Amino acid sequence: MKLSLYLSSADKLQRYLPFIPYLEGEILDVGGGVGNLYDLSGKKITVFDISEAELRISRKKGLETIRGDGTKLPFKDNSFDTVVSVATLEHIPRNKRNKFLEELKRVSKKKILLYTPYGENGEEYDKKLYNFRKRIGKEDKWTLEHIQNGLPTMEEIKKSFPNAKIKKIQNVKVWYFLMILQSIPLVNKILPGI
């Protein structure tokens, strides 16, 4: 594991670590941005993302990268053994989510690993975090996108993946507390990794 990832955010560790034992074969990380999954696993991963700036960081790590829209993956059916998408679904507008999930299924040969915040409780804490960060003058375009799109519901996820094994891996109150601490520059300087 890369120390820099640990020092950047305990939240990232909570998101990615549960997936490491399930990675196998050819791996596609949809919405993989800067390559956090690679940082933790060391496995060869193709990173697909909409952000060229984040993909440049992945390229510097030696990863294959492709820029594009997750609702139109440029791969043949069953191209990857494992398809991963961590903290991306909530950034997809609600009217495009089903297409995004269908694309993950289409290009996956064996398994899909999906992490997303969901539901009304998650939305409540997103609003609290966004308002806190706004009060301290910190821009937060990602949480604003959560609020604008609305978080996925468990029903949406179960509809797309009726036979999925669903495991809750974060508590929203703990996440919120960590995000508040991480938002305060002095605290984050003294206690990196929060």
Side-chain angles (χ1 to χ4, degrees):
M1 172 189 352
K2 302 250 177 162
L3 182 61
S4 62
L5 180 62
Y6 173 75
L7 293 176
S8 71
S9 176
D11 177 55
K12 288 179 188 173
L13 291 174
Q14 284 186 316
R15 291 184 214 177
Y16 291 93
L17 280 179
F19 293 144
I20 303 305
Y22 301 102
L23 299 176
E24 63 177 289
E26 292 288 318
I27 302 165
L28 174 66
D29 188 359
V30 180
V34 301
N36 289 325
L37 187 61
Y38 165 78
D39 291 339
L40 285 168
S41 70
K43 295 186 179 280
K44 181 183 174 204
I45 294 171
T46 300
V47 179
F48 185 91
D49 203 283
I50 201 162
S51 169
E52 182 58 37
E54 290 195 3
L55 289 174
R56 274 194 293 275
I57 295 168
S58 282
R59 271 187 227 110
K60 287 180 183 176
K61 296 174 182 180
L63 300 173
E64 180 180 344
T65 65
I66 299 168
R67 185 172 185 265
D69 179 339
T71 64
K72 301 173 204 149
L73 296 174
F75 308 107
K76 293 179 182 175
D77 294 359
N78 305 311
S79 295
F80 296 90
D81 297 296
T82 307
V83 175
V84 181
S85 185
V86 175
T88 301
L89 186 61
E90 66 274 19
H91 297 283
I92 307 295
R94 194 173 294 282
N95 65 339
K96 294 183 178 183
R97 285 185 187 152
N98 188 53
K99 178 65 176 151
F100 178 85
L101 295 172
E102 289 303 313
E103 281 293 277
L104 298 184
K105 288 194 278 190
R106 183 184 66 76
V107 302
S108 172
K109 228 185 279 187
K110 295 182 180 178
K111 64 179 94 169
I112 298 166
L113 304 172
L114 178 70
Y115 168 97
T116 186
Y118 70 92
E120 291 176 8
N121 201 20
E123 287 179 350
E124 175 189 343
Y125 279 90
D126 270 343
K127 288 174 186 170
K128 286 181 181 183
L129 177 63
Y130 180 78
N131 289 331
F132 173 80
R133 286 180 169 169
K134 190 175 178 180
R135 281 193 306 273
I136 65 170
K138 187 170 182 160
E139 184 183 347
D140 188 359
K141 67 180 184 176
W142 302 118
T143 306
L144 179 58
E145 225 172 63
H146 291 197
I147 294 165
Q148 291 170 336
N149 291 329
L151 294 182
T153 65
M154 189 56 71
E155 291 73 31
E156 279 180 278
I157 296 164
K158 287 179 178 179
K159 183 179 178 185
S160 288
F161 302 103
N163 300 317
K165 294 178 187 171
I166 296 174
K167 181 178 179 184
K168 296 176 184 178
I169 59 173
Q170 275 185 320
N171 176 301
V172 70
K173 292 178 184 176
V174 173
W175 170 84
Y176 176 71
F177 177 71
L178 290 173
M179 294 296 96
I180 291 292
L181 289 177
Q182 189 175 334
S183 299
I184 303 169
L186 180 62
V187 172
N188 207 18
K189 214 173 215 178
I190 295 169
L191 299 170
I194 291 181

